[in-house]
Amino acid sequence: LDRKFLSPAAINPLRPQPMAVAEPKPPSVACVAFIGSDNVPLLIRSFPGVGSAEAGAPRAQELELQLALFSALDQVGLHVQACEKAQQKGDPRSLDTYLGLLSPAILELEVDIKVEGGSKTSVFFEDYNVFAHISTSQLKILAVVKDGLCKQKQTEESVLRQMLRQLNQLYVDAASNPFFAGLETEKFRRRVTEVVEGCASRFQ
């Protein structure tokens, strides 16, 4: 065999191979938030990078995400008022708990990935949108999602509806526990991550 056509691993299988470096990219879902009926945050879960949801986002990034979330809360109030008026007129669409797109946001996000010998941080300025779901008990679930993830808006709406509905069910299950002591538990955070990552993989 001609050695020039062989890879280093084929010539010497024991030779350490360079670590593959993943191309950094902004997360599909930057964060999700559970907001109580009194507009007090019950949990804000950020996802600073694809596959790195367990790592905490830098504080400046957290504040930027929170600003986007609380700015969108005003739109929730307007949606609720509009639904109440429509309900008085007998409009069945007013019963939809999926509020859809509330407001756009331009975010500066840092994405960390593991590389050989440490980690690499990339900074992105990306367009995101805040979507929301509201329950009959006025619990609000907000998701900050990257703009233009799906070619078809119907696909995007279907995935977002399912994600927000599943997150709402997680809350219902947790709150139904007689020993419920809030959402700031590792178990609940892990389940939120599983739902978000499962749905984010369907954006295309």
Side-chain angles (χ1 to χ4, degrees):
L1 294 176
D2 193 336
R3 293 174 62 89
K4 69 179 181 180
F5 293 111
L6 296 178
S7 67
I11 297 174
N12 184 2
L14 300 180
R15 179 182 177 182
Q17 298 303 306
M19 181 179 180
V21 178
E23 186 67 26
K25 59 182 178 179
S28 299
V29 180
C31 78
V32 296
F34 293 78
I35 310 295
S37 58
D38 53 359
N39 285 345
V40 173
L42 304 177
L43 175 70
I44 297 178
R45 186 79 168 103
S46 60
F47 305 90
V50 176
S52 60
E54 295 305 318
R59 181 161 180 77
Q61 182 169 301
E62 289 281 6
L63 293 175
E64 188 172 5
L65 289 171
Q66 290 180 25
L67 178 61
L69 291 168
F70 287 113
S71 297
L73 278 179
D74 293 336
Q75 297 300 318
V76 174
L78 294 176
H79 272 74
V80 171
Q81 292 177 6
C83 286
E84 289 175 348
K85 292 181 180 179
Q87 200 168 29
Q88 293 173 358
K89 298 178 180 180
D91 186 348
R93 291 175 295 178
S94 63
L95 301 176
D96 192 354
T97 56
Y98 175 72
L99 300 182
L101 172 62
L102 295 182
S103 62
I106 300 177
L107 301 179
E108 177 183 355
L109 299 179
E110 295 182 359
V111 178
D112 295 324
I113 62 169
K114 294 180 180 180
V115 297
E116 189 173 8
S119 63
K120 176 182 178 182
T121 301
S122 296
V123 179
F124 295 90
F125 290 89
E126 295 286 340
D127 291 326
Y128 279 79
N129 294 314
V130 183
F131 294 85
H133 174 284
I134 187 169
S135 71
T136 54
S137 61
Q138 299 300 300
L139 170 77
K140 294 166 280 289
I141 303 176
L142 278 62
V144 182
V145 181
K146 190 173 181 297
D147 185 52
L149 285 176
C150 297
K151 296 179 181 178
Q152 300 293 332
K153 285 297 181 182
Q154 284 185 327
T155 302
E156 182 179 79
E157 179 176 331
S158 175
V159 175
L160 288 171
R161 279 179 177 272
Q162 181 182 11
M163 183 178 75
L164 293 171
R165 186 168 58 247
Q166 289 180 353
L167 291 173
N168 181 70
Q169 188 59 49
L170 285 183
Y171 172 81
V172 171
D173 294 342
S176 300
N177 189 323
F179 302 103
F180 177 66
L183 304 182
E184 292 282 354
T185 67
E186 186 58 34
K187 180 180 180 180
F188 189 82
R189 285 174 172 271
R190 185 174 64 253
R191 289 185 173 178
V192 168
T193 299
E194 291 171 353
V195 169
V196 171
E197 289 184 345
C199 291
S201 65
R202 295 174 52 201
F203 287 121
Q204 57 182 355

